[in-house]
């Protein structure tokens, strides 16, 4: 039992877990995710496809085994952090303790130093403290002890990060709403109504899009309270605890249905939507796509020559009793005539797609990321160092330095500084 | 401005090439002054390279960090900067001799990319872009230097004419520590890159992590270098094994950089 615990909290297990997780991530990036068995069979062989689905390689990042490994990593990190906390505390305390330093190992030592204080200065150490150790006079200076906390803090940050990400994955809520200005819809299954007040697409001179901006109002159906905001790409707004993102855009048009000169229906239809003729429910028109500057390219079908509304073209499909009966493009002045009904498309305009999201644990993940970064900074860039000097009977000093991370680099710097100091004193 | 940038870019390529030749001559002729001259030429190249990037930034009216060309030339700049810092800090001009071909390769890759200035799509118009990409450049530069150091480490044993090489190449123990320093720099900046990227993605795409291939591969790279750090803590894994690991890490960096765009589809594919 004890052996199992030791293994589960060991760094060896951590390295294995990290290796397998990295391999899993790589596999998930090579195998297209979220496809059907048939799809994989058409790309790979039937056997491989079956294997991919059986091993959940079609959805690596949400598979039970990926989750299990992430949980193991969390347990491993937690155990290792608990086990190591006393050690880190002890290290931080003893790193400036004269008795502990004098008794412990040194990275480098130099005997016969006449002016130890100059050496402390040359090593850019803080002013040394005087102490008596076993009846000898000693000078001790320690620096960057916070570095001992780096790995521990980094591990804590990773723990928070995984926790925040995992909880967010399990509890986040997300919907998509779309429409032209004036449209109101319910936000998912919440008690809020979203109204699109305005939507603008700013184009540059060369027809490329500079920005999409929507003005929205969200109203609580419970309290009647309403709040408005302006959102654009890279600038979402938070209203009543939900975040609203300007996500993308598409084309919509006014569609009218007439019979015998009388207008029966007058609606705004977004591309990708159906309009059912209420008078004759067997008849429906589907708005496939819109081309602001319609051209028919040989061999490639309809396209748009520019982003400007020079030659609006509406691609539609006609359905009768759920069967496709026709498909065509309508240009300016053209109309669909069927069974005495006249269907017209006009007034093209942009609709907006708004993403609504709530992830209560995103701040926890962010905190985890920041703590991880801080820990790395401490672990890698705040290197603990100590320099101490002990006076011998002849009145000379033996100066030692300790830098667990600095190794030969520290030893070289120390030797150089000691050499300089000796040159100056002679 | 963009014409000035074009001219400067050509001069920079010539300077980097000249530095590489001088470094090679230094090894062939074994005259220390050639190494000093090479480092000076490389430094001049870096200064003009910085000027070229500034010109492009002014000409385009934004940070020059948004398309393949701009990222490639900035990557070469980052490599050159980090290698010069390490040459200077560890008094190690021989590093330049091994780094110069890599720098020249990257700037050559940049030269093959389209230099057209395109307007940015709305998702890219964010201040986070600057933080995200500039930290990536330092990170990639540092990993590039750790790769070069590891190659030197792995070749160290077979370097003949010990007098010359011993004088100009540190011991394996010291090489290992210097490589560890550059991996540390790279990993810290890769962490900045991932964190700023996540914050930006949350604002632009509504999700801070979507397992997009570029994100996934930056995570794979991050894990590989984290494993490198842990392996180094175990006795017996310093040196040789760590050097191989740093090489593998850089292969991951390069795959994240070019491989992902070439082989895998994703929302990052415009950059
Ligand atoms: C992605 C995950 C991880 C990252 C990024 C990470 C990062 C780090 C860093 C930066 C260090 C300091 C290394 C150095 O000073 O050179 C470290 C040390 C260490 N890590 Fe991790 N670590 C991770 C996971 C783990 C796990 C799961 C364990 C579980 C046992 C672990 C155990 C240790 C130990 C024992 C040390 C030595 C600490 C010391 O010397 O004070 N690490 N880690």
């Amino acid at each position: 039992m004890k052996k199992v615990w030791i293994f589960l909290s060991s760094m060896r297990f951590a390295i294995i877990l990290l290796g397998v997780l990295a391999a899993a991530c790589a596999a998930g990036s090579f195998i297209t995710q979220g496809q059907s068995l048939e799809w994989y069979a058409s790309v790979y062989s039937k056997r491989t496809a079956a294997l991919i689905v059986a091993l959940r390689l079609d959805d690596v990042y949400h598979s039970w085994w990926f989750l299990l490994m992430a949980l193991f990593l969390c347990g491993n990190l937690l155990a290792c952090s608990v086990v190591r906390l006393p050690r880190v505390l002890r290290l931080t305390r003893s790193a400036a303790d004269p008795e502990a330093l004098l008794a412990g190992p040194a990275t480098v030592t130099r005997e016969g130093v006449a002016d130890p204080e100059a050496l402390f200065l040359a090593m850019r150490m803080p002013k040394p403290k005087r102490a008596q150790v076993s009846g000898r006079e000693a000078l001790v200076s320690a620096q960057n002890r916070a570095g001992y906390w780096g790995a521990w803090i980094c591990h804590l940050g990773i723990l928070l990060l995984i926790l925040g990400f995992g909880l967010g994955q399990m509890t986040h809520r997300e919907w998509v709403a779309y429409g032209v200005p004036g449209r109101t819809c319910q936000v998912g299954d919440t008690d809020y109504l979203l109204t699109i007040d305005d939507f603008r697409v700013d184009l540059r001179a060369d027809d490329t899009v500079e920005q999409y901006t929507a003005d929205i109002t969200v109203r609580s159906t419970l309290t009647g309270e309403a709040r408005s905001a302006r959102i654009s790409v890279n600038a979402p707004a938070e209203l009543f605890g939900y975040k609203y993102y300007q996500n993308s855009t598409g084309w919509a048009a006014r569609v009218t249905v007439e019979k015998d000169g009388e207008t029966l229906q007058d609606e705004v239809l977004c591309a990708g939507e159906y309009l059912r003729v209420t008078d004759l429910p067997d008849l429906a028109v589907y708005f496939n796509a819109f081309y602001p500057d319609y051209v028919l390219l040989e061999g490639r079908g309809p396209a748009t020559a520019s982003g400007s509304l020079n030659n609006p073209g509406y691609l539609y499909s006609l359905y009768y009793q759920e069967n496709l009966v026709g498909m065509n493009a309508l240009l300016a002045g053209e109309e669909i005539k069927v069974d005495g009904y006249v269907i017209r498309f006009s007034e093209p305009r942009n609709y907006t797609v708004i993403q609504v999201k709530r992830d209560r644990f995103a701040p926890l993940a962010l905190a985890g990321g920041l703590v991880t970064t801080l820990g790395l900074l401490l672990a890698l860039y705040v290197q603990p160092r100590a320099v101490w000097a002990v006076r011998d009977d002849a009145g000379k000093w033996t100066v030692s330095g300790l830098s667990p991370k600095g190794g030969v680099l520290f030893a070289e710097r120390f030797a150089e500084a000691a050499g300089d100091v000796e040159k100056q004193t002679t | 401005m963009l014409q000035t940038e074009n001219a400067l870019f050509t001069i920079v390529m010539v300077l980097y090439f000249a530095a590489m030749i001088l470094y090679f001559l230094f090894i062939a002729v074994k005259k220390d002054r050639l190494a000093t001259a090479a480092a000076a030429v490389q430094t001049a190249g870096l200064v003009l390279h910085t000027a070229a990037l500034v010109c492009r930034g002014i000409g385009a009216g934004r940070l020059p960090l948004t398309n393949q060309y701009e990222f490639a030339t900035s990557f070469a700049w980052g490599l050159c900067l980090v290698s010069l810092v390490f040459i200077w800090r560890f008094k190690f001009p021989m590093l330049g001799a091994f780094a110069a071909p890599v720098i020249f390769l990257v700037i050559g890759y940049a030269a093959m990319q389209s230099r057209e200035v395109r307007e940015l799509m709305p998702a890219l118009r964010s201040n986070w872009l600057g933080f995200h990409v500039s930290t990536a450049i330092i990170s990639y530069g540092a990993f590039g230097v750790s790769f070069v150091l590891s190659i030197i480490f792995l070749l160290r044993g077979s370097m003949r004419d010990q007098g010359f090489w011993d004088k100009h190449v540190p011991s394996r123990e010291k090489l290992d520590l210097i490589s560890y320093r550059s991996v540390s720099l790279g990993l810290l900046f890769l962490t900045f890159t991932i964190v700023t990227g996540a914050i930006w993605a949350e604002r632009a795409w509504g999700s801070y992590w979507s397992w997009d291939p570029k994100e996934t591969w930056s995570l794979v790279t991050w894990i590989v270098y984290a494993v490198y750090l842990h392996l180094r803590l175990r006795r017996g894994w310093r040196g040789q094994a760590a050097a191989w690991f740093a090489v593998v890490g850089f292969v991951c960096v390069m795959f994240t950089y070019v491989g992902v765009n070439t082989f895998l589809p994703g929302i990052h594919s415009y950059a």
Side-chain angles (χ1 to χ4, degrees), chain A residues 22-326:
Chain A
C25 288
S29 77
F30 284 118
I31 302 168
T32 309
Q33 300 285 285
Q35 303 292 331
S36 66
L37 180 64
E38 291 72 35
W39 190 91
Y40 292 113
S42 70
V43 175
Y44 309 100
S45 73
K46 253 199 170 133
R47 260 240 194 103
T48 318
L51 198 69
I52 286 174
V53 173
L55 293 177
R56 304 294 312 147
L57 286 171
D58 57 332
D59 192 13
V60 171
Y61 311 115
H62 306 100
S63 68
W64 61 268
W65 55 268
F66 194 80
L67 188 75
L68 189 72
M69 280 200 301
L71 282 176
F72 266 125
L73 186 69
C74 286
N76 179 231
L77 271 170
L78 195 66
C80 141
S81 299
V82 169
V83 169
R84 297 182 59 82
L85 184 60
R87 214 196 94 140
V88 176
L89 278 168
R90 191 154 32 86
L91 254 174
T92 330
R93 242 181 282 126
S94 65
D97 176 49
E99 305 226 359
L101 278 175
L102 263 64
T107 310
V108 58
T109 294
R110 191 151 180 125
E111 290 172 358
V113 177
D115 184 359
E117 309 240 9
L119 184 49
F120 281 101
L121 207 64
M123 286 299 289
R124 279 190 257 138
M125 296 298 291
K127 198 173 157 45
K129 291 198 177 66
R130 290 187 180 278
Q132 289 285 331
V133 179
S134 332
R136 283 170 179 263
E137 194 181 346
L139 293 169
V140 174
S141 172
Q143 192 179 40
N144 294 344
R145 281 189 291 156
Y148 285 121
W149 286 89
W152 199 85
I153 292 174
C154 174
H155 295 148
L156 180 75
I158 293 165
L159 212 57
L160 294 179
L161 183 65
I162 298 179
L163 210 66
F165 182 72
L167 291 174
Q169 290 272 302
M170 285 191 282
T171 60
H172 84 277
R173 318 211 55 199
E174 189 172 355
W175 301 278
V176 172
Y178 66 96
V180 294
R183 196 182 263 193
T184 296
C185 61
Q186 190 176 358
V187 177
D189 54 3
T190 65
D191 299 316
Y192 296 101
L193 292 176
L194 167 68
T195 304
I196 297 159
D197 301 319
D198 192 16
F199 178 57
R200 253 192 3 253
V201 180
D202 299 324
L203 295 179
R204 301 189 187 91
D206 63 352
D207 272 349
T208 57
V209 178
E210 175 149 29
Q211 186 56 284
Y212 304 104
T213 309
D215 290 327
I216 56 168
T217 300
V218 176
R219 192 181 309 277
S220 162
T221 52
L222 298 178
T223 63
E225 191 189 342
R227 290 183 196 163
S228 297
R230 168 165 292 179
I231 57 176
S232 49
V233 179
N234 267 310
E238 188 164 344
L239 301 169
F240 298 108
Y242 289 83
K243 263 190 159 175
Y244 292 80
Y245 296 86
Q246 170 56 48
N247 181 285
S248 57
T249 183
W251 285 96
R254 178 180 174 197
V255 182
T256 56
V257 182
E258 289 170 28
K259 192 173 189 186
D260 306 328
E262 188 193 340
T263 305
L264 303 177
Q265 276 167 274
D266 185 348
E267 297 180 14
V268 175
L269 198 66
C270 294
E273 283 184 331
Y274 284 95
L275 176 90
R276 205 169 276 284
V277 176
T278 35
D279 211 34
L280 178 64
D282 276 344
L283 187 63
V285 59
Y286 179 67
F287 187 5
N288 294 74
F290 176 75
Y291 303 93
D293 199 353
Y294 183 85
V295 281
L296 195 60
L297 296 180
E298 195 125 345
R300 282 210 278 150
T304 191
S306 72
S308 314
L309 285 166
N310 294 334
N311 182 26
Y314 308 85
L315 187 69
Y316 71 91
S317 312
L318 209 58
Y319 287 83
Y320 190 76
Q321 290 185 338
E322 317 302 332
N323 292 318
L324 179 67
V325 292

Side-chain angles (χ1 to χ4, degrees), chain A residues 8-15 17-18 72-74 76-81 84 87-88 91 147-152 154-155 158 162 372 375-376 379-380 405, chain B residues 180 184 187 222-223 225-230 232-233 238:
Chain A
L8 289 181
S9 63
S10 71
M11 195 161 89
R12 178 199 297 248
F13 186 47
I15 289 173
L17 278 174
L18 289 174
F72 266 125
L73 186 69
C74 286
N76 179 231
L77 271 170
L78 195 66
C80 141
S81 299
R84 297 182 59 82
R87 214 196 94 140
V88 176
L91 254 174
Y148 285 121
W149 286 89
W152 199 85
C154 174
H155 295 148
I158 293 165
I162 298 179
T372 304
L376 275 175
L380 304 175
K405 290 257 174 80
Chain B
Y180 169 63
S184 299
L187 187 65
W222 193 77
I223 294 178
Y225 282 111
V227 170
Y228 165 96
L229 286 186
H230 288 86
R232 275 190 90 265
L233 292 170
R238 273 191 197 200

Side-chain angles (χ1 to χ4, degrees), chain B residues 107-179:
Chain B
I107 199 149
Y109 175 73
M112 293 189 308
Q113 308 293 320
S114 157
R115 282 186 224 178
E116 187 191 356
V117 172
R118 290 248 201 97
E119 295 291 355
L120 295 187
M121 55 194 281
L124 287 178
R125 286 162 40 91
S126 165
N127 288 335
W128 288 104
L129 171 89
F131 294 114
H132 179 59
V133 186
S134 52
T135 51
I137 284 160
I138 301 297
S139 164
Y140 283 24
F143 286 141
V145 168
S146 79
F147 165 75
V148 171
L149 284 162
S150 301
I151 296 292
I152 300 177
F153 181 99
L154 294 169
L155 295 176
R156 183 72 174 90
S158 54
M159 285 170 178
R160 277 173 294 139
D161 188 2
Q162 290 298 328
F164 175 73
W165 291 106
D166 278 349
K167 180 168 167 217
H168 290 287
V169 180
S171 65
R172 283 183 137 206
E173 191 186 359
K174 192 167 162 188
L175 274 173
D176 176 62
L177 275 172
I178 301 177
S179 175

